[in-house]
Amino acid sequence: MRIILAISVLGMVVFGCKKSEVNTDITQAVLFEYEYVNHAWIYTHMGWMIDENGEVKGFTSPGNWKFTDDEGYISKEDLESNLSQTDTSYFAISKDDILNHFNERFDLLNGRIDTSDTFMADAGIGGLYVYVWNQQMNKYKKQVLATSGDISVTNSHHKAGTIISWLKGIGERTDRYYWIR
C-alpha cells in the first residue's frame, strides 16, 4: 500500500510540476501606439507604434494615415498601412516585456473610461492605446489606455495603470512624445 501511495505522490509531483505552455506567438502587426494630434496652430500628427517584434517605430505627419471609425475600430489592412508609414526605428523591447503587458489587453476592454481629469484648450491630444482583435467585426479595437491634453481620460481598469506607466517610459525614450501631467 505504501508503495502505491509513494508512486501516486511521485506521479503527482512529476506531472504537477510540468511547465505550462504559454503562447508567445504574436500575430498582429501593431500592439501598442502613442499618437499625438493637434489642430490648433499648426497641424501636428506624430507618434510611435510597437510592432509584433517589439520594435518601437516612429511616425511624423504620415501622408495617408487611416484613422479609426467612430467606435474606435480599424481594419487589419488599414492598421498595417499605418505601420508602413513609420519613418524611424528607435529600439526593440524584449518579447517577455511585451507579453507581460499585451496579455492583459482583453481585460482592458472592460475598463471604464474616467473623464474626471483636466481639460485644456489648444494643447492637442496625446493618447496611449492597445490594439485588440475583435473576431466578430473582423477588425482591431483601438482601446484607450489614457489621453492627455485637450481631453484627458484614463482607463480605470486596475491593470491599466501598470501598462500606462510602462508606455510612458517608452515614450520618454523617443523624440515623438508629448504628455501633459
Side-chain angles (χ1 to χ4, degrees):
M1 184 67 163
R2 288 183 185 178
I3 294 174
I4 294 173
L5 183 60
I7 292 172
S8 297
V9 170
L10 181 62
M12 288 189 306
V13 169
V14 168
F15 293 110
C17 293
K18 183 180 176 186
K19 185 178 178 182
S20 64
E21 295 296 317
V22 176
N23 185 4
T24 59
D25 292 334
I26 299 174
T27 58
Q28 69 183 60
V30 178
L31 313 178
F32 297 97
E33 179 181 275
Y34 164 76
E35 182 179 34
Y36 174 77
V37 178
N38 192 342
H39 297 273
W41 298 92
I42 298 172
Y43 179 73
T44 306
H45 183 206
M46 66 175 185
W48 43 265
M49 302 172 136
I50 302 174
D51 73 9
E52 64 188 328
N53 298 313
E55 293 289 325
V56 178
K57 297 180 174 183
F59 59 88
T60 301
S61 302
N64 192 23
W65 194 259
K66 310 291 187 194
F67 289 94
T68 61
D69 64 21
D70 291 342
E71 295 178 6
Y73 289 95
I74 188 168
S75 72
K76 178 181 178 181
E77 296 76 21
D78 287 349
L79 185 57
E80 289 173 351
S81 171
N82 288 351
L83 180 62
S84 74
Q85 295 180 67
T86 59
D87 56 24
T88 302
S89 184
Y90 289 107
F91 49 87
I93 300 166
S94 77
K95 190 159 214 167
D96 288 339
D97 204 13
I98 289 169
L99 287 171
N100 200 26
H101 300 289
F102 188 63
N103 286 337
E104 309 292 345
R105 67 193 180 279
F106 294 105
D107 295 330
L108 298 170
L109 291 173
N110 299 321
R112 183 179 55 81
I113 304 300
D114 182 359
T115 60
S116 65
D117 292 338
T118 60
F119 294 82
M120 300 183 151
D122 297 343
I125 298 174
L128 297 167
Y129 306 94
V130 61
Y131 284 95
V132 182
W133 181 252
N134 182 305
Q135 188 69 36
Q136 288 77 29
M137 296 196 64
N138 204 32
K139 292 182 177 185
Y140 288 102
K141 170 73 172 165
K142 185 177 181 179
Q143 180 62 40
V144 173
L145 298 172
T147 66
S148 174
D150 290 347
I151 301 172
S152 297
V153 300
T154 304
N155 186 314
S156 64
H157 193 280
H158 69 276
K159 294 180 180 179
T162 303
I163 299 170
I164 292 166
S165 295
W166 175 68
L167 289 171
K168 284 179 177 180
I170 291 169
E172 290 167 356
R173 295 172 55 194
T174 73
D175 62 350
R176 298 183 191 163
Y177 182 69
Y178 181 65
W179 200 260
I180 303 165
R181 285 197 245 193

